[in-house]
């Protein structure tokens, strides 16, 4: 079967002189060379991880060569541990060795880790080289490849070091999702559900009615991903640097990041999307506990996330978890802390999330204690 | 004698929402706390080097404490070697440990190295924290603290890794220049002379007539520094990201950087400003050799730089220097290389510099050979 043009969805991110398109559909990686050439690049520095290289690098290299572009590839180990200063230095050095110049292009081929690391490397290489994001995981396609947040982790917390660096193009080849382990696909789905929970109750209802939509190849998957990208693009266009509204995208992330920090980013125990799923369920339970949100809406969130196999409670994480105080301390080292005050994303219901900057720390701590109680 | 208001010059950098002021005059460091408080910071992360800390940190800490600000200081070794990935990681970690948040301030207290390093650390800390530049060297006051270029060196070249990150304020305390070694002061002077050579022949003539103006305390020094800052601010406002005109500021830098790289950034042999002085003299000799510029103008440049004690020939650098081919190779790894073509800043005369993107590499190489010939 030949690829049909109708298979491809286009989402535009309206950021003035930094505006760019997200293309979503199966088979796009085969056209990455043509896309890079159209952007005026002469050379392309591919950054990818060992796993993705084995699956998709041949397609990409064939396409780049076919478009007459010079290219060189920097490979990093797969996994969150690559979001480190050491690996950043190695990637930047590899791109310099490849003589990637200001008019050229860095191609981030991989999931969220590669996108964040390569995007950051592009941001600081010669004080800024363009990046083409080619996300190969669901998480990266619906979230991290869009919006320009790039960065690495510090031993003091996740994503504490980085840059805002918008891509020049995002190519989300949905066929790559068929090579993704089920657990990764599920984890990415947490971010899809998030967009419904933030401000699109119809989308959430559609996901409830079609829980396999995004998991299986076909037009529904593309629709789900495009809807997610469109939601993210709208928020990013309103608030590129997260001075206000963009914080909504952190629904589930304040709790989630604290859990990830607590397991020391051990992906065998918890991957980002799972942390977000538990975090979103917690945000809704916390909202309900504060009397802001109907219990029924919190239950709906739990039901849908559970239906697709995502965890909704801290107790789902294998192994020991720190106490409420430890989690609270992690939350206070979050980037989004302002004047020592925590920012929570809470909800008045499904699709009715809001930024809360004045939550009583004592109530948050009390909520964490109840969440972590053995009976919970 | 009390400090008089007339002593302070203000230069505004017109960059829209990133606009900021440069204040120039003696004794400004004593008011840094007040300035930081006015910017709305709650905490200040001071970055400085061991030498500057010994001279000026007590004044700064007194001022910050007096303004009721929390502060913490990260010290790095003095010298260009601190512009490394390792030191960047240490500075960022120190600022995270000090819990510098997005609304807070990084204070770069020192010369060009500290300004570039601290400015870059601020750019990537939590994806961007504001920086107040408090330059304590002439070079930093007239050049590196203004315009937002920050960065570190790579083993493959100088300033190849960095960010554009405009400061929120520049406090150029001219009294700090009295603690500067004569060699440093002279080196910084190369950048002052540069502004005359680029497009301000009257300023160059004034410097020729007053060769000690910037070297001695007093209104002439402030005038010379303010004129330099104004020149830089104008170029930066026109072309923040160096897509065109801003390249003029690199007069003398393409040759200079190659020389610095050739001595492996050994400041005992060559500091940046000395490289720029030799590089400017070379740029004028090259322009004359190409028939673009009267020999007399090249001779004027040589005379004035020599008069203040700056080197004008490669042979002034102690120790062995690589051949023409080696210098040429260094020039090709410059950030400003585009499509493999070198960009030179050449001149049609004093105050008549221009960006030349089509210089025949063979003629450049030939020129280098003549410059490096033992007889030269």
């Amino acid at each position: 079967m030949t690829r049909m043009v109708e298979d491809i969805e286009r989402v535009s991110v309206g950021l003035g002189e930094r505006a760019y398109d997200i293309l979503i559909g199966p088979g796009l990686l085969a056209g990455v060379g043509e896309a890079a050439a159209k952007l005026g690049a002469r050379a392309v520095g591919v950054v990818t991880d060992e796993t993705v290289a084995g699956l998709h690098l041949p397609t990409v290299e064939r396409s780049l060569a076919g478009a007459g572009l010079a290219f060189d590839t920097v490979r990093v180990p797969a996994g969150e541990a690559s979001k480190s200063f050491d690996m950043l230095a190695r990637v930047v050095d590899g791109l310099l060795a490849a003589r990637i110049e200001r008019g050229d292009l860095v191609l981030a081929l991989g999931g969220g880790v590669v996108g964040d690391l390569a995007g950051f490397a592009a941001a600081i290489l010669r004080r800024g080289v363009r990046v083409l994001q080619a996300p190969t995981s669901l998480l990266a396609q619906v979230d991290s490849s869009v919006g320009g947040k790039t960065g690495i982790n510090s031993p003091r917390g996740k994503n504490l070091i980085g840059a805002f660096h918008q891509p020049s193009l995002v190519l989300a080849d949905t066929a790559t999702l068929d090579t993704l382990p089920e657990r990764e696909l599920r984890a990415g789905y947490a971010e899809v559900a998030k967009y419904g929970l933030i401000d699109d109750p119809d989308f959430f209802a559609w996901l409830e009615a079609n829980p396999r939509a995004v998991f299986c190849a076909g037009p529904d998957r593309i629709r789900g991903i495009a809807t997610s990208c469109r939601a993210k693009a709208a928020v990013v266009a309103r608030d590129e640097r997260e001075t206000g509204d963009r914080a909504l995208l952190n629904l589930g992330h304040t709790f989630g990041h604290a859990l990830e920090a607590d397991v020391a980013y051990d992906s065998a125990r918890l991957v980002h999307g799972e942390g977000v799923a538990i975090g979103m369920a917690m945000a809704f339970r916390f909202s309900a506990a504060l009397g802001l949100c109907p219990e029924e809406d919190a239950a709906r969130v739990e039901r849908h996330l559970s239906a697709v196999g995502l965890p909704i409670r801290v107790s789902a994480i294998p192994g020991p978890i720190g106490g409420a105080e430890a989690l609270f301390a992690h939350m206070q080292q979050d980037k989004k802390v302002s004047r020592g005050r925590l920012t929570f994303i809470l909800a008045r219901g499904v699709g009715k999330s809001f930024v809360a900057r004045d939550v009583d720390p004592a109530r948050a701590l009390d909520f964490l204690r109840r969440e972590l109680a053995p009976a919970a």
Side-chain angles (χ1 to χ4, degrees), chain A:
Chain A
M1 197 181 101
T2 54
R3 180 158 61 87
M4 289 178 299
V5 175
E6 305 92 276
D7 285 349
I8 311 294
E9 279 243 31
R10 177 186 303 262
V11 174
S12 296
V13 186
L15 281 168
E17 62 179 10
R18 288 186 301 290
Y20 55 94
D21 281 343
I22 307 162
L23 299 184
I24 304 148
L28 286 168
L29 277 185
V32 69
E34 202 185 326
K38 215 184 268 179
L39 288 168
R42 196 192 51 133
V44 175
V46 183
V47 181
T48 190
D49 71 31
E50 300 293 356
T51 308
V52 174
L55 295 165
H56 307 298
L57 190 57
T59 305
V60 166
E61 294 191 332
R62 226 173 3 248
S63 178
L64 293 171
L69 295 164
F71 61 90
D72 229 316
T73 302
V74 183
R75 293 162 190 242
V76 302
E80 188 79 22
S82 285
K83 283 178 64 174
S84 69
F85 249 118
D86 280 354
M87 206 56 73
L88 178 69
R90 277 175 51 184
V91 170
V92 168
D93 190 66
L95 294 170
L96 285 172
R99 302 207 162 222
I100 300 302
E101 298 174 3
R102 278 197 185 156
D104 293 331
L105 213 50
V106 172
L107 169 57
L109 175 68
V113 167
V114 163
D116 284 2
L117 177 65
F120 189 27
I124 65 174
L125 179 70
R126 300 174 192 267
R127 296 204 188 95
V129 166
R130 294 176 301 167
V131 63
L132 191 164
Q133 292 280 356
T136 60
S137 73
L138 180 57
L139 179 90
Q141 293 190 353
V142 300
D143 181 22
S144 58
S145 72
V146 177
K149 282 194 183 178
T150 70
I152 56 174
N153 300 324
S154 151
R156 298 179 192 276
K158 212 173 142 80
N159 294 325
L160 287 177
I161 305 158
F164 286 94
H165 188 56
Q166 298 294 342
S168 296
L169 178 68
V170 181
L171 288 187
D173 184 341
T174 51
T176 63
L177 303 184
D178 296 329
T179 62
L180 215 60
E182 182 73 12
R183 186 183 172 199
E184 287 288 318
L185 203 54
R186 265 203 311 266
Y189 186 79
E191 303 279 0
V192 175
K194 186 186 76 176
Y195 296 110
L197 293 175
I198 290 174
D199 64 357
D200 193 345
D202 292 346
F203 183 48
F204 191 75
W206 181 76
L207 292 171
E208 285 178 309
N210 303 278
R212 296 299 301 165
V214 176
F215 289 85
C216 305
D220 277 354
R221 169 186 275 177
I222 296 173
R223 175 180 166 181
I225 294 173
T227 303
S228 299
C229 288
R230 212 163 274 128
K232 177 141 190 189
V235 174
V236 168
R238 279 205 303 276
D239 177 22
E240 185 177 4
R241 293 207 163 224
E242 194 169 343
T243 50
D245 253 18
R246 182 161 178 168
L248 284 174
L249 297 174
N250 292 314
L251 176 64
H253 284 62
T254 304
F255 291 122
H257 280 165
L259 293 169
E260 285 185 88
D262 199 78
V263 303
Y265 304 106
D266 177 355
S267 61
R269 296 178 62 196
L270 187 76
V271 296
H272 177 67
E274 291 166 350
V276 170
I278 298 173
M280 291 194 297
M282 288 174 77
F284 272 80
R285 285 195 294 269
F286 189 30
S287 299
L290 292 169
L292 295 165
C293 161
E295 297 278 357
E296 167 51 21
D297 284 47
R300 251 181 90 188
V301 174
E302 293 180 339
R303 262 199 312 274
H304 181 58
L305 296 177
S306 296
V308 300
L310 280 165
I312 55 168
R313 296 200 171 269
V314 177
S315 58
I317 303 169
I321 290 287
E325 287 74 13
L327 287 185
F328 196 67
H330 284 304
M331 285 160 60
Q332 285 181 306
Q333 181 52 293
D334 196 276
K335 269 189 315 306
K336 293 171 287 292
V337 168
S338 170
R339 309 263 142 171
R341 287 185 317 173
L342 281 168
T343 297
F344 285 91
I345 313 303
L346 299 178
R348 297 203 170 81
V350 166
K352 296 179 192 162
S353 297
F354 65 99
V355 181
R357 301 192 198 274
D358 52 0
V359 174
D360 180 357
R363 297 205 66 170
L365 195 56
D366 184 55
F367 170 73
L368 285 175
R369 286 203 187 96
R370 276 180 288 123
E371 286 281 310
L372 293 164

